[in-house]
Amino acid sequence: MIRLEEVAQDYGDRRLLRDVDLHIAKGSFHFLTGPSGAGKTTLLRLCYGELTASRGRVLLFGEDRKDMGRDALADARRQVGVIHQDCRFLDHLGVAENVALPFTAAGLPVPADDLRELLGWVGLAAQAQARPPTLSGGERQRAALARAVIAQPAVVLADEPTGNLDWEMSLRILSLLVELNRMGTAVLIATHDLNLIRSAKAQVSARVLRIAEGTLQSAGSDL
Amino acid sequence: MVPGSGFTAVLTTGTALAMAFLAVFALALGLGADRLADRWQATLAQSATLRISAPAGEMAVQTSRALDILRATPGIASVRVLEPEEQRALLAPWFGPDLPVERLTLPRMIEIVEAGEGFDPVGLRMRLVAEVPGAVLDDHSRWRAPMVAAAAHLRTLAVLSVALIAAATAAMVALAASFSLAANAQVIAVLRLVGARDAFIARAFTRRFTLRALAGAALGTGLGMGALALMPALDGIAGDTALGGIGLRGRDWLWPLLVPPFAAITAWTATRAAAFRVLRREG
């Protein structure tokens, strides 16, 4: 579904990523680790076409990102649920409206029952009408997760999705992602949380990748 | 989808209000000029006057001779000697209604009604000079020709004014929309993240700006029409002048009703163009 071939990404004169090959296939589960500033977020942004690779090819659902028209790119993004570290909400809308955005943006009717059930599942039923700035960090991340998965995308890309959550809620979020993965959704999680990775590996066959010195490598067997 | 912005809302609504107000006056000027041009044009095609000043003993002979010449002149449909009552009415504004015209030595007036392209005034004057020495052809309709041209020019200026008002409105709305798009970069980023197409994002902005322009223009049009309705009638005083021509008559009052939808269409077009330009530029 998403394939990176010999991708390099530059920031000015600095080459952040080089020779990156990655295939996110249907039903796959990846963890992405690496030190801060290694390029995890950049790699995720490449994966949903927000960035255009400096070199190499990024194929989104079979189409080269560089050849995609603007509408085709937008349509491809509808198949990818993204959870950002900074969550990215429309602060003037309520939580429920933010979570329903993938449907609104696609011009589709919002499935009210699914929305209510999902908000309940992530523990935000009481905050459905609240504005995002009034939420705690953990609540914001749960809302971002709900928005990423509500339209049942083919791929979920999560950048530190449990960074602001307690362990119990982290496991709950993980179990939702695992459940989605079992239904065929590909998942890529960028995280520092080794315990989360271990917990996931106990439930699902996950591949752990590490970005080191700009290259993407398989992590050691200790993970 | 897009949060309200006080600055752009005031700018758009205020601009639409002011421009619609001005557009109503430009329309009134244009329609008034149209009426004046038509009226003056119609007057052109009507009549000229021949004035005969002669000693009392020769007046009848010269009048008869002049009538013969006029009837034989191509381009003249009919001629008629003005009755004393009509002459009194013409002089009444200066000498009052009780002027004893019978006892005064007044020139004899002959009204000439032109036909088709009209007569050749130069040739007619030459014949009159030779045969009716006391006759003066008062080609009074001719002075209206430049006035008709002026009225047509005024109408063109009014159309140009409406076009400039539309262009200025479009520019201001586009400026406000660009400002709003820049201020809402985060909103655009989120909408893109969830797969919104450019058309969806642009629509979120165009809808807001179109409604603001419609509301402002409706208010401005209402105020403009109200101001015109309150303008004192100048008929009979300066009704035949450009000043008297300003205003709306009868069905003319329907024309300003087109201003708000036109402003809305202008705002929609300007905002949409600005939105797509910004969205493409920012990748």
Side-chain angles (χ1 to χ4, degrees):
Chain A
M1 289 188 288
I2 297 176
R3 187 185 287 272
L4 279 65
E5 297 175 351
E6 297 181 14
V7 165
Q9 186 64 33
D10 299 334
Y11 277 108
D13 295 336
R14 181 182 169 220
R15 175 148 292 181
L16 185 64
L17 296 172
R18 64 175 186 273
D19 300 327
V20 172
D21 288 295
L22 173 65
H23 181 207
I24 302 174
K26 181 176 167 64
S28 64
F29 204 116
H30 290 86
F31 280 101
L32 185 62
T33 64
S36 295
K40 298 191 294 295
T41 300
T42 298
L43 185 58
L44 256 61
R45 292 172 72 194
L46 284 165
C47 285
Y48 68 90
E50 190 177 64
L51 290 178
T52 307
S54 306
R55 286 185 61 187
R57 289 208 311 166
V58 175
L59 297 170
L60 301 178
F61 304 96
E63 208 174 337
D64 193 329
R65 163 68 179 86
K66 284 176 182 164
D67 299 333
M68 291 175 87
R70 302 176 65 79
D71 286 349
L73 182 59
D75 292 347
R77 282 180 181 158
R78 289 179 191 170
Q79 299 183 64
V80 183
V82 182
I83 306 164
H84 270 279
Q85 271 179 301
D86 58 0
C87 298
R88 297 193 187 179
F89 291 116
L90 299 186
D91 289 343
H92 62 288
L93 299 182
V95 168
E97 288 170 294
N98 268 286
V99 171
L101 270 180
F103 286 101
T104 312
L108 298 171
V110 178
D113 290 342
D114 291 354
L115 177 62
R116 203 176 306 112
E117 189 181 340
L118 185 59
L119 286 173
W121 200 91
V122 296
L124 291 174
Q127 287 88 353
Q129 303 308 318
R131 297 281 187 269
T134 66
L135 301 180
S136 69
E139 287 171 334
R140 287 170 65 82
Q141 278 195 313
R142 281 182 274 151
L145 174 87
R147 186 182 62 191
V149 304
I150 190 167
Q152 299 179 348
V155 182
V156 172
L157 305 174
D159 194 359
E160 300 287 359
T162 58
N164 291 314
L165 303 178
D166 58 39
W167 180 241
E168 187 184 346
M169 185 50 76
S170 295
L171 288 179
R172 203 165 164 186
I173 296 300
L174 179 66
S175 70
L176 173 65
L177 292 172
V178 167
E179 193 177 326
L180 283 169
N181 179 249
R182 284 180 180 144
M183 290 160 60
T185 303
V187 177
L188 172 61
I189 302 174
T191 183
H192 285 105
D193 191 342
L194 300 184
N195 287 330
L196 188 76
I197 297 174
R198 292 191 186 101
S199 187
K201 287 189 81 170
Q203 300 175 58
V204 70
S205 172
R207 188 175 173 212
V208 183
L209 303 168
R210 184 193 302 275
I211 298 178
E213 296 175 352
T215 61
L216 192 62
Q217 306 159 359
S218 284
S221 58
D222 55 322
L223 289 173
Chain B
M1 205 54 62
V2 180
S5 162
F7 171 71
T8 56
V10 169
L11 183 62
T12 311
T13 311
T15 300
L17 188 153
M19 293 301 180
F21 189 81
L22 293 175
V24 169
F25 279 99
L27 265 177
L29 184 66
L31 292 166
D34 215 27
R35 277 196 306 274
L36 272 181
D38 287 348
R39 194 154 69 222
W40 286 340
Q41 190 66 49
T43 307
L44 254 181
Q46 282 178 358
S47 65
T49 306
L50 187 71
R51 191 173 70 246
I52 300 170
S53 301
E58 292 181 28
M59 184 64 88
V61 176
Q62 288 205 23
T63 301
S64 173
R65 199 178 300 150
L67 287 170
D68 290 342
I69 292 170
L70 292 172
R71 286 180 183 129
T73 302
I76 291 178
S78 62
V79 291
R80 182 177 69 88
V81 179
L82 289 191
E83 299 296 330
E85 283 305 313
E86 292 175 282
Q87 282 193 282
R88 183 182 289 119
L90 283 173
L91 294 170
W94 288 272
F95 300 105
D98 301 323
L99 183 71
V101 288
E102 299 82 3
R103 283 187 282 162
L104 293 173
T105 308
L106 292 175
R108 184 66 52 84
M109 310 286 280
I110 300 175
E111 184 187 81
I112 304 167
V113 177
E114 297 180 39
E117 295 292 308
F119 58 83
D120 170 20
V122 178
L124 181 58
R125 278 199 183 93
M126 288 173 69
R127 281 198 69 189
L128 289 169
V129 165
E131 300 183 39
V132 189
V136 175
L137 179 63
D138 185 1
D139 189 11
H140 62 82
S141 62
R142 295 289 186 258
W143 66 270
R144 291 185 182 261
M147 292 185 71
V148 171
H153 192 67
L154 204 60
R155 183 173 50 196
T156 306
L157 285 178
V159 171
L160 190 65
S161 298
V162 171
L164 284 174
I165 287 167
T169 305
M172 290 299 284
V173 171
L175 185 70
S178 297
F179 180 86
S180 180
L181 284 155
N184 287 292
Q186 180 66 21
V187 172
I188 293 170
V190 171
L191 291 174
R192 279 186 167 150
L193 182 71
V194 297
R197 289 183 171 192
D198 284 355
F200 177 88
I201 299 171
R203 198 159 52 239
F205 286 89
T206 51
R207 184 175 178 276
R208 184 175 289 267
F209 278 87
T210 302
L211 290 175
R212 284 174 186 164
L214 183 64
L219 193 57
T221 301
L223 290 173
M225 290 174 77
L228 284 174
L230 292 174
M231 197 162 82
L234 293 173
D235 292 339
I237 304 168
D240 204 32
T241 67
L243 183 62
I246 298 174
L248 299 168
R249 310 267 191 282
R251 280 185 295 183
D252 287 354
W253 284 100
L254 295 175
W255 282 102
L257 300 180
L258 293 176
V259 171
F262 184 72
I265 291 169
T266 303
W268 183 86
T269 308
T271 311
R272 187 173 162 81
F276 275 104
R277 192 170 56 246
V278 170
L279 291 171
R280 289 199 182 101
R281 189 178 62 218
E282 295 183 355

